[in-house]
Structures are given as C-alpha cells and as structure tokens.
Amino acid sequence: MACWLYEGMLMFGVVFIAGYLFGTLSQTRNALDNRHALQAFLFVVFGIYFVWFWSKGQTLAMKTWHIRLVDAAGRPVTQPRALARYVLSWLWLLPPLAGAALFHLDAAETSVIVLGWVAVWALLSRFHAQRQFLHDALAGTRLVSVPALPPKR
C-alpha cells in the first residue's frame, strides 16, 4: 500500500502536466468545461504511463520499493498484458463510482462507498492462494520483490 500511495503522489505531477496540456490545447476557460473529455484524456494518459512502465518491469514507485511486475511464469510483462492489467485495475474504483452515479449519491456518501470498496478489495487479496489482488490474477501478472542493488562506489 505504501507503493500505491507513493505512486499516487507521482501521478499528481502527471495529472498536472496532462491537465495543463489539455486545457491549453482545448482552450478550456472553466474547469467544468470539457470535464468528460479531460477525464477520457487522463484515462488514456494514465494508460500510456502504466503500460509503458509495467512493460519495462517497474514504475518509479515500484523501483523505490523494490517491486517488479512479472507474468505468471516470472517473465517480463508484454504490453498487451500490461494493458489488460491497467484496464482490470480500474475495478478498484469504477464499480463504486458507477453505483454512486446511478443512485445520485452526494460526495460524503460516495467517499464512504469508495473507501469501503477499496478496503474490501484489498482484503480479498488475503484469500487468494498467492495473496494477489484480483486484477493481477485476472491479468496473469504478479508483483515480486527484487533485491536492492548494492550502492555504487
């Protein structure tokens, strides 16, 4: 979870740059204008970011925490498998957000539902035979620890 939080902080920079680029190119004057187009653009930008780094083995946060993404056989992940993992990883957020939109819940109720869903989703990994998250099991990927490299002299 620490890697996940660190990744979130790094993604803030990606969102800032992508949002600025989108706003500049689309000449958006109000934050609510083109909101859905911005969300779609960010979905694509996040996809490019994660698929690119996962197919190389690690994101910056994963390097920091000495975690590598491999397929079920321990080989490097291909871009199609990384894309599948990216799409499946949205199961962490899309079901509760869709439910909140369907039932027109306010921000506080949506927050409770999303946080509850994420907690349940995380706890479900404890019941998997290899303690994997469901999106990893479905995508045929797994996270492994890699030893830290000794410091260079």
Side-chain angles (χ1 to χ4, degrees):
M1 292 302 274
C3 182
W4 195 50
L5 291 173
Y6 182 37
E7 196 76 65
M9 289 190 301
L10 293 173
M11 291 309 294
F12 178 80
V14 174
V15 168
F16 180 80
I17 292 168
Y20 179 75
L21 179 65
F22 180 85
T24 302
L25 294 176
S26 66
Q27 297 294 309
T28 301
R29 301 282 183 236
N30 186 328
L32 295 178
D33 290 344
N34 301 326
R35 181 177 57 149
H36 297 298
L38 174 61
Q39 290 170 343
F41 179 71
L42 289 175
F43 179 81
V44 171
V45 168
F46 288 170
I48 291 168
Y49 172 87
F50 283 112
V51 169
W52 172 264
F53 281 108
W54 287 340
S55 65
K56 302 294 181 198
Q58 297 171 301
T59 62
L60 180 60
M62 293 167 77
K63 285 180 184 180
T64 302
W65 292 96
H66 308 293
I67 299 170
R68 180 173 293 278
L69 182 69
V70 296
D71 68 7
R75 296 182 306 255
V77 175
T78 62
Q79 284 190 345
R81 190 173 299 272
L83 179 61
R85 184 179 195 260
Y86 172 71
V87 171
L88 289 167
S89 70
W90 279 93
L91 291 173
W92 279 87
L93 295 174
L94 284 185
L97 291 177
L102 181 68
F103 295 110
H104 306 290
L105 301 178
D106 65 22
E109 294 168 328
T110 301
S111 298
V112 169
I113 290 174
V114 168
L115 291 174
W117 179 265
V118 167
V120 168
W121 194 257
L123 288 173
L124 285 176
S125 69
R126 298 295 174 206
F127 297 109
H128 189 273
Q130 286 87 32
R131 293 189 179 245
Q132 288 184 296
F133 292 118
L134 185 58
H135 67 278
D136 276 322
L138 293 173
T141 59
R142 61 190 173 105
L143 297 172
V144 296
S145 294
V146 292
L149 296 173
K152 293 181 182 180
R153 291 186 174 196

